[in-house]
């Protein structure tokens, strides 16, 4: 299939219009690798080759639309009131409203799967070195901002069902603002709008979740698809027939994704709905196991093995460290990690270390798990400190 | 040519199947907008007709609207014309005014005046007699009668019984 | 090819993370308790065939059951109202009409002989701390105590409704409903919450309920949780094994062993599913149709795409 594309475009003398046709040719990899937006433009021109960045854009766009639609219907029945929030979700939406459960399942699964896509996208980008050269540093920056905004959106949404996990996760996260030994209790109260998490807290996180953060995310998404990469416009009947082929490819990709997505929505939604959150808030009883949703587990684990202040510093740095990847990577090579020196090992170590941290983040910090957690956290710090050093001595490919 | 038509067919089939999916999704969305089952169930109010006293106005609530209940005294019943009598709901041998207490002019709630045994609307001076029929403009017609069903000494508002259907067919109420 | 390898690696890492979190971590966090199939093997076997008529005499007479319990089907009403009973005993004693079908006969027999032991609440009520379980042990009416207990159980079984007539609601009310509320089913510990026309009546009911709940708190140490969403907060397996033997999860819990038969346990689970997971069947049905639709649509799109591709090649060759 790929082979044919190449041939045709060359025969037609349309090479300048087809980008990325020779991606298979490794030596030309850098010069022809570009990112595109299939989302914000109608007249676009792509290779039919599978491309992770294009696939991510497509799948993420569909996920965002699903989040938006399901969110609108949830908003029709959700009540941001500490006395009625839990039942408005678990009784009204889940039991009384026709297909209310569908919107809730779509919303929570899409939120979780969105993170999965973001993480995969991030690691593929790191692996392929796509964060450097040709103005792509800003693209990378907007991506890391997007991750932070998406985290905030997800966290604020997690507060809304007002179950035990909502409450206690909210308690732990807002307490981080006290800054450990700095004892900034006033700041914690300012964030909560109260001494404890009460009506003011629920209302403001509801506001963040449905107004401010979604707005920021949409803005960042637009920024994340710079016009430079969006489209190459060409007229002509033959080209439009050709373009149809690519639309068909997009539709195929989306429908395959929807099969996977709706399988989760109907048959495997448990991973995105923590069981403890089906218990109504009890401000005087902390659940036996408390942990955040899976996508926050690695940074949550970084908090635990260290004394409070050090833990907070490590946690704080871990939240923004990915932002600095283009600066920390001192090598000029923008190629797959497999073709680079020590970076190759660095990449796989980081990935595995973060999966280990994620796993341990869910387990109680006792005995063997605590020791392993400490080691994994130290490895995490060491890896980031080593990155500028190992990339500095990397040979140019 | 054969190949062409086959391709065209598959393209149309994709479109048709996608349309089916879109319609199914829209149906789910429409159903989400429907009133809740509990709301619909709350649309039925049962009145115990034995508790009302003759000549005393009572206001009940049905689907958020005021319902005037006025048990007619024997004198009241005597003064009514045949047409006005048709508006009266007979439970056993007792006659009741059972009306939606909203002025048919512009939706204000008229007040009952026990001395003159009539209703006066505070907004534009519309007046109704004790059978709920209009006696002074501007209201275009008498009070509307809520759907009801007589069940022994009880009255179920929201359900249509034969007495209500008769009134509706005779043009007594909308 | 390179893309394919990358895709496979991504899928493998995603599955690994999923496995670690949802399977591995889950099994470490939540210990798995296997039930005993409601055999109550630790309890004494009476090995007697009960005599219904003799049982009735004992239940109404020497057994003194009706001093505290009502038996509505036999026309015996409760000697005290629910609030007064709770103030006296901590909880309102159950009506015995359906006890013979809801509870396991072996458990019932042991319960009559030694309630604290059968209920597994000896850690709360024992000779050392001087506390006595509110239900008095049956000390025998002069004959063979095991025979007498078997007679009483036989009588309770004879008056109980048949297995088919036990609805999830009856099972829940008998097994859980005197201590646990279930607001999604309008269930309070005093029975179904009535609708009141006058607010005073509604408040009066609420006052009675709060008084009752206070008695429960005094008796159990804290108010037992509302069970509306419990089936989702735990799982059917957890609820089943917990009810069969609460001590297997929480040592020293105030929750007694309930002594249900396997059948009535299933009914209770069904009731909890109906309040906490009411749309479970609809989710499955809609899910199957949606998946069939999407899989067919995807297959059709793949064919369509192939066709379009061929069309282009064909035109090009021309």
């Amino acid at each position: 299939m790929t082979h044919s594309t190449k041939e045709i475009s060359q025969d037609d003398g349309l090479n300048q219009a087809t980008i990325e046709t020779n991606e298979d040719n490794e030596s030309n990899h850098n010069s022809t690798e570009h990112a595109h937006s299939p989302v914000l433009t109608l007249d676009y021109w792509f290779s039919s080759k599978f491309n992770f960045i294009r696939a991510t854009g497509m799948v993420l766009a569909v996920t965002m639309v699903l989040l938006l639609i399901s969110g609108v219907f949830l908003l029709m029945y959700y009540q941001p009131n500490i006395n009625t929030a839990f039942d408005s979700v678990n009784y009204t939406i889940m039991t009384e409203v026709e297909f209310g459960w569908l919107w809730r399942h779509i919303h929570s699964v899409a939120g979780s799967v969105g993170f999965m896509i973001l993480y995969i996208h991030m690691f593929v980008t790191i692996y392929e070195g796509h964060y450097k050269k040709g103005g792509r540093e800003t693209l990378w920056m907007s991506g890391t901002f997007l991750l932070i905004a998406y985290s905030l959106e997800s966290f604020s949404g997690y507060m809304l069902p007002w179950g035990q996990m909502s409450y206690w996760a909210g308690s732990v996260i807002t307490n981080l603002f006290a800054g450990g030994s700095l004892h900034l209790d006033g700041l914690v109260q300012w964030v909560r709008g109260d001494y404890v998490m009460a009506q003011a807290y629920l209302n403001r996180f509801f506001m963040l979740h449905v107004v401010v953060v979604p707005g920021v995310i949409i803005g960042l998404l637009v920024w994340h698809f710079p016009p430079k990469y969006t489209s190459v416009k060409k007229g002509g009947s033959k080209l439009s027939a050709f373009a149809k082929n690519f639309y068909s490819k997009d539709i195929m990709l989306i429908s395959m994704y929807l099969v996977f997505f709706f399988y989760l929505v109907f048959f495997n939604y448990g991973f995105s709905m923590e069981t403890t959150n089906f218990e109504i808030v009890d401000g005087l009883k902390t659940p036996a196991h408390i942990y955040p949703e899976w996508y926050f587990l690695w940074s949550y684990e970084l908090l635990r093995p260290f004394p409070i202040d050090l833990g907070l510093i490590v946690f704080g740095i871990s939240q923004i460290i990915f932002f600095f990847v283009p600066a920390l990577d001192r090598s000029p090579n923008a190629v797959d990690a497999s073709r680079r020196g020590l970076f190759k090992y660095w990449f796989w170590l980081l990935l595995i270390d973060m999966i280990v941290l994620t796993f341990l983040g869910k387990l109680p910090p006792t005995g063997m798990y605590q020791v392993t957690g400490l080691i994994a956290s130290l490895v995490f710090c060491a890896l980031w400190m080593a990155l500028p050093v190992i990339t500095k001595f990397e040979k140019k490919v | 040519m054969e190949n062409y038509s086959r391709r065209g067919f598959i393209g149309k089939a994709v479109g048709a199947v996608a349309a089916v999916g879109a319609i199914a999704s829209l149906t789910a969305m429409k159903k989400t907008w429907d009133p809740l089952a509990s709301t619909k169930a709350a649309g039925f109010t049962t009145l115990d007709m034995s508790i009302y006293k003759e000549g005393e106005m009572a206001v009940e609530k049905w689907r958020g609207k005021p319902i005037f209940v006025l048990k007619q005294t024997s004198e009241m019943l005597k003064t009514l014309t045949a047409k006005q009598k048709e508006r009266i709901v007979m439970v056993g041998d007792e006659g009741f005014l059972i009306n939606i207490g909203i002025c048919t002019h512009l939706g204000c709630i008229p007040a009952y005046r026990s001395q003159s045994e009539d209703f006066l609307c505070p907004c534009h001076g519309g007046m109704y007699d004790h059978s709920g029929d209009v006696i002074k403009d501007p209201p275009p017609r008498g009070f509307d009668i809520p759907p009801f069903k007589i069940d022994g000494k009880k009255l179920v508002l929201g359900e249509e019984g034969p007495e209500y259907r008769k009134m509706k067919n005779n043009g007594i109420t909308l | 090819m390179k893309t394919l390898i990358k895709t496979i690696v991504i899928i493998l890492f995603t599955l690994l993370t999923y496995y670690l979190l949802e399977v591995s971590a889950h099994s470490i966090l939540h210990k798995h308790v296997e039930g005993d199939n409601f055999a109550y093997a630790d309890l004494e076997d009476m090995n007697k065939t009960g005599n219904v008529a003799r049982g009735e005499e004992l239940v109404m007479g020497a057994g003194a059951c009706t001093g505290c319990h009502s038996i509505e089907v036999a026309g015996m009403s409760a000697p005290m109202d629910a609030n007064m009973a709770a103030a006296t005993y901590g909880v309102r004693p159950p009506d015995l009409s359906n006890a013979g079908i809801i509870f396991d006969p072996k458990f019932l027999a042991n319960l009559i002989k030694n309630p604290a032991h059968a209920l597994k609440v000896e850690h709360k009520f024992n000779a050392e701390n001087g506390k006595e379980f509110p239900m008095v042990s049956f000390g025998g009416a002069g004959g063979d105590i095991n025979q007498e207990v078997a007679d009483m159980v036989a009588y309770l079984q004879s008056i109980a409704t048949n297995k088919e007539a036990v609805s999830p609601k009856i099972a829940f009310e008998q097994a859980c409903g005197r201590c646990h509320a279930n607001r999604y089913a309008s269930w309070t510990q005093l029975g179904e919450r009535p609708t009141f026309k006058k607010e005073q009546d509604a408040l009066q009911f609420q006052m009675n309920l709060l008084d009752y709940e206070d008695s429960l708190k005094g008796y159990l140490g804290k108010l037992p949780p509302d069970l509306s969403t419990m089936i989702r907060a735990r799982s059917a397996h957890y609820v089943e094994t917990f009810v069969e033997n609460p001590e297997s999860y929480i040592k020293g819990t105030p929750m007694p062993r309930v002594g249900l038969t396997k059948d009535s346990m299933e009914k209770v689970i069904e009731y909890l599913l109906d309040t906490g997971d009411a749309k479970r069947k609809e989710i499955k049905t809609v899910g199957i149709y949606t998946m069939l639709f999407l899989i067919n649509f995807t297959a059709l799109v793949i064919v369509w795409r192939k066709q379009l591709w061929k069309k282009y090649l064909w035109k090009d060759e021309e």
Side-chain angles (χ1 to χ4, degrees):
Chain A
M1 211 189 317
T2 313
H3 181 65
S4 323
T5 329
K6 228 189 290 183
E7 223 167 63
I8 292 151
S9 53
Q10 278 156 8
D11 288 349
D12 291 348
L14 290 168
N15 298 34
Q16 73 273 36
T18 40
I19 301 163
E20 288 183 30
T21 45
N22 42 9
E23 208 187 335
D24 271 358
N25 187 341
E26 301 245 326
S27 59
N28 286 337
H29 193 272
N30 288 336
S31 52
T32 54
E33 183 75 44
H34 293 282
H36 316 281
S37 156
V39 183
L40 301 169
T41 175
L42 285 173
D43 43 7
Y44 61 112
W45 182 251
F46 286 121
S47 141
S48 70
K49 237 184 93 48
F50 186 88
N51 168 320
F52 280 116
I53 291 175
R54 180 165 159 219
T56 307
M58 195 82 58
V59 165
L60 196 62
V62 171
T63 311
M64 292 291 174
V65 169
L66 284 166
L67 278 170
L68 202 68
I69 294 175
S70 55
V72 164
F73 287 103
L74 292 174
L75 203 48
M76 281 172 61
Y77 293 99
Y78 174 72
Q79 297 173 17
N81 176 302
I82 50 168
N83 296 318
T84 54
F86 183 87
D87 287 348
S88 78
V89 173
N90 288 303
Y91 185 70
T92 311
I93 291 172
M94 291 300 280
T95 304
E96 279 206 290
V97 178
E98 292 269 3
F99 294 105
W101 55 267
L102 179 63
W103 310 121
R104 188 184 183 200
H105 283 195
I106 289 178
H107 208 69
S108 73
V109 169
S112 224
V113 169
F115 258 108
M116 190 188 91
I117 299 164
L118 287 182
Y119 277 133
I120 290 174
H121 182 47
M122 188 173 84
F123 277 106
V124 168
T125 310
I126 294 177
Y127 182 83
E128 294 183 344
H130 274 185
Y131 47 81
K132 39 188 165 179
K133 276 195 180 169
R136 284 192 294 205
E137 287 86 353
T138 48
L139 202 58
W140 171 265
M141 273 162 55
S142 64
T144 52
F145 285 147
L146 200 55
L147 185 66
I148 292 170
Y150 199 75
S151 301
L152 185 54
E153 179 70 355
S154 161
F155 172 74
S156 55
Y158 197 55
M159 295 301 105
L160 302 186
W162 208 239
Q164 276 286 70
M165 272 300 195
S166 304
Y167 186 86
W168 291 100
S171 173
V172 170
I173 298 293
T174 49
N175 265 327
L176 293 178
F177 287 90
S181 307
L182 298 175
H183 291 297
L184 305 174
D185 296 338
L187 184 60
V188 176
Q189 281 164 27
W190 182 78
V191 170
R192 292 176 178 171
D194 199 336
Y195 301 104
V196 289
M197 283 86 59
Q199 189 58 51
Y201 174 83
L202 181 60
N203 257 70
R204 61 186 57 187
F205 275 82
F206 174 64
M207 179 280 291
L208 287 175
H209 186 73
V210 301
V211 184
V212 174
V213 188
V216 170
I217 288 177
I218 290 169
L220 285 170
L221 278 174
V222 174
W223 182 23
H224 200 61
F225 290 117
K228 188 179 162 190
Y229 294 117
T230 45
S231 70
V232 180
K233 203 175 171 184
K234 288 282 159 187
S237 61
K238 214 160 195 180
L239 280 184
S240 73
F242 204 21
K244 210 175 169 188
N245 290 344
F246 301 125
Y247 283 118
S248 69
K249 167 133 198 169
D250 293 347
I251 293 169
M252 187 179 80
L253 198 64
I254 289 169
S255 54
M256 282 170 161
Y257 169 64
L258 288 180
V259 170
F260 163 72
F261 180 82
F262 279 100
Y263 159 72
L264 295 179
V265 164
F266 292 113
F267 301 105
N268 203 351
Y269 43 83
F271 77 100
S272 69
M273 291 159 132
E274 183 47 56
T275 50
T276 313
N277 225 20
F278 284 93
E279 278 175 60
I280 201 162
V281 166
D282 182 348
L284 298 174
K285 183 185 159 240
T286 310
H289 304 294
I290 91 155
Y291 42 81
E293 285 290 273
W294 66 267
Y295 32 81
F296 295 139
L297 286 170
W298 65 270
S299 47
Y300 178 67
E301 178 61 21
L302 287 172
L303 269 174
R304 300 202 296 186
F306 302 114
I308 179 160
D309 291 329
L310 186 59
L312 276 173
I313 292 168
V314 173
F315 174 80
I317 291 174
S318 76
Q319 295 304 298
I320 50 166
I321 192 71
F322 283 98
F323 179 83
F324 296 103
V325 168
L328 292 171
D329 184 350
R330 313 273 284 274
S331 144
N333 296 327
V335 292
D336 277 8
S338 61
R339 299 173 57 215
R340 296 173 61 176
L342 286 169
F343 184 80
K344 174 165 57 188
Y345 304 107
W346 183 88
F347 174 82
W348 292 110
L349 271 175
L350 180 74
L351 179 64
I352 290 164
D353 190 50
M354 280 177 72
I355 291 177
V356 169
L357 285 170
T358 300
F359 176 54
L360 292 168
K362 195 165 182 174
L363 299 174
T366 47
M368 192 180 73
Y369 304 130
Q370 190 168 23
V371 177
T372 324
L374 180 64
I375 294 168
S377 304
L378 290 172
V379 168
F380 184 84
C381 301
L383 280 172
W384 285 104
M385 285 191 263
L387 182 60
V389 185
I390 62 165
T391 48
K392 196 170 180 187
F393 300 107
E394 196 173 304
K395 279 188 217 127
K396 185 156 170 44
V397 179
Chain B
M1 275 318 279
E2 246 179 56
N3 268 346
Y4 252 149
S5 59
R6 198 181 148 213
R7 278 170 215 133
F9 170 74
I10 290 179
K12 282 187 188 112
V14 169
V17 175
V20 170
I23 290 168
S25 316
L26 285 174
T27 311
M29 292 177 190
K30 183 255 158 199
K31 284 195 166 174
T32 303
W33 274 80
D34 284 346
L36 298 182
S38 61
T39 312
K40 283 185 196 154
F44 300 95
T45 307
T46 306
L47 301 180
D48 179 4
M49 301 314 286
S50 60
I51 61 165
Y52 300 105
K53 293 195 183 91
E54 282 187 3
E56 267 182 40
M57 245 288 281
V59 182
E60 300 289 348
K61 223 169 139 187
W62 169 73
R63 295 190 185 172
K65 293 175 191 144
I67 300 295
F68 290 165
V69 180
L70 177 62
K71 188 172 178 182
Q72 309 280 312
T73 60
S74 46
E75 289 78 35
M76 279 173 164
L77 282 174
K78 270 175 215 156
T79 60
L80 292 174
T81 64
K83 191 178 166 288
Q84 284 172 325
K85 247 190 180 139
E86 284 184 41
R87 299 185 54 88
I88 299 297
V89 179
M90 299 301 290
V91 181
D93 50 0
E94 291 164 339
F96 289 89
L97 164 145
I98 292 166
N99 287 168
I100 296 174
I102 293 176
C103 183
T104 51
H105 179 220
L106 289 171
C108 297
I109 298 176
Y112 179 66
R113 301 189 295 182
S114 52
Q115 276 182 328
S116 48
E117 294 177 346
D118 60 7
F119 296 88
L120 173 69
C121 182
C123 293
H124 302 93
M127 283 168 76
Y128 304 81
D129 64 23
H130 58 80
S131 75
D133 207 2
V134 64
I135 47 175
K136 184 173 165 286
D137 286 341
R141 60 179 189 280
F143 288 128
D144 292 329
I145 297 166
F148 64 87
K149 196 177 134 195
I150 299 166
D151 180 15
K153 275 278 170 196
K154 291 204 167 123
L155 197 86
V156 183
L157 295 178
E159 249 182 276
E160 292 191 5
E163 293 84 358
Y164 173 76
R165 267 186 234 120
K166 201 177 138 210
M167 286 183 181
K168 212 170 168 180
N169 293 338
N170 295 349
I172 306 287
T173 184
L174 281 182
Chain C
M1 194 58 200
K2 215 175 81 181
T3 314
L4 184 69
I5 293 170
K6 280 188 193 174
T7 312
I8 291 171
V9 170
I10 288 172
I11 292 173
L12 286 179
F13 270 101
T14 310
L15 287 176
L16 171 72
T17 313
Y18 179 85
Y19 177 84
L20 284 175
L21 292 177
E22 291 301 310
V23 183
S24 192
H26 194 268
S27 67
I28 294 170
L29 286 177
H30 307 281
K31 70 168 179 171
H32 186 80
V33 174
E34 210 39 72
D36 198 20
N37 211 24
F38 298 88
Y40 304 108
D42 60 312
L43 293 177
E44 180 191 356
D45 230 328
M46 300 293 162
N47 285 327
K48 302 276 178 193
T49 317
N51 177 318
V52 174
R54 173 83 183 119
E56 181 170 6
E57 277 170 38
L58 284 165
V59 166
M60 302 294 182
C65 303
T66 51
C68 304
H69 294 276
S70 61
I71 309 178
E72 298 289 354
V73 286
M76 306 292 292
S77 51
M80 298 183 202
D81 71 22
N83 273 74
M84 205 201 278
T88 316
Y89 310 118
V91 58
R92 64 186 165 98
D95 180 82
L96 298 183
S97 306
N98 285 322
I101 183 83
I102 303 280
F103 302 110
D104 182 78
K106 185 177 171 190
F107 172 84
L108 269 183
N110 279 272
L111 179 82
I112 295 167
K113 266 179 86 174
N114 185 353
H117 178 69
L119 292 163
K120 288 207 166 209
V121 287
E122 281 167 315
H123 56 86
K124 271 176 70 188
F125 303 96
N126 50 41
E128 284 127 59
N129 65 14
K131 278 194 190 160
E132 256 183 73
F133 187 72
M135 174 169 160
V136 182
S137 305
F138 174 65
D144 174 5
I145 182 165
N146 283 3
Q147 181 60 49
E148 285 164 356
V149 166
D151 292 343
M152 288 158 89
V153 172
Y155 168 69
L156 290 176
Q157 284 180 311
S158 75
I159 56 168
T161 179
N162 58 341
K163 205 161 99 181
E164 286 70 36
V166 177
S167 67
K169 190 164 178 271
I170 292 176
F172 174 84
E173 287 174 14
Q174 183 93 42
C176 326
R178 290 173 300 120
C179 298
H180 294 277
N182 188 320
R183 63 188 183 284
Y184 290 2
S186 299
W187 180 260
T188 73
Q189 292 93 336
L190 289 179
E192 210 150 315
R193 187 185 288 275
T195 46
F196 297 101
K197 208 165 181 183
K198 283 172 78 183
E199 199 172 350
Q200 289 93 318
D201 296 333
L203 289 172
Q204 189 57 54
F205 180 83
Q206 193 61 29
M207 293 260 290
N208 283 341
L209 183 61
L210 289 173
D211 281 343
Y212 184 85
E213 288 182 347
D214 274 350
S215 305
L216 271 184
K217 271 184 223 167
Y219 176 51
L220 296 168
K222 61 171 188 164
L223 187 67
D226 185 291
L227 296 183
S228 302
T229 51
M230 196 50 83
I231 204 82
R232 304 261 350 231
R234 302 287 187 268
S235 66
H237 178 82
Y238 180 99
V239 172
E240 200 176 299
T241 42
F242 182 72
V243 169
E244 187 181 354
N245 184 6
E247 297 285 321
S248 64
Y249 286 94
I250 309 167
K251 280 268 170 281
T253 173
M255 162 108 172
R257 168 156 74 178
V258 183
L260 297 179
T261 63
K262 197 167 170 52
D263 285 322
S264 30
M265 189 67 234
E266 275 164 19
K267 295 279 158 77
V268 169
I269 295 285
E270 194 182 331
Y271 182 88
L272 292 177
L273 282 169
D274 285 343
T275 62
D277 199 2
K279 294 288 179 84
R280 61 195 184 282
K281 287 172 191 144
E282 194 185 314
I283 294 174
K284 280 245 157 63
T285 326
V286 176
I288 287 166
Y289 283 119
T290 311
M291 292 316 288
L292 282 175
F293 173 82
L294 283 172
I295 288 167
N296 280 311
F297 181 70
T298 309
L300 196 59
V301 169
I302 291 170
V303 174
W304 175 56
R305 193 182 121 70
K306 275 198 177 146
Q307 293 283 343
L308 278 175
W309 195 249
K310 271 189 197 156
K311 181 175 163 184
Y312 178 76
L313 285 179
W314 175 71
K315 260 179 98 179
D316 191 56
E317 280 154 22
E318 192 186 48

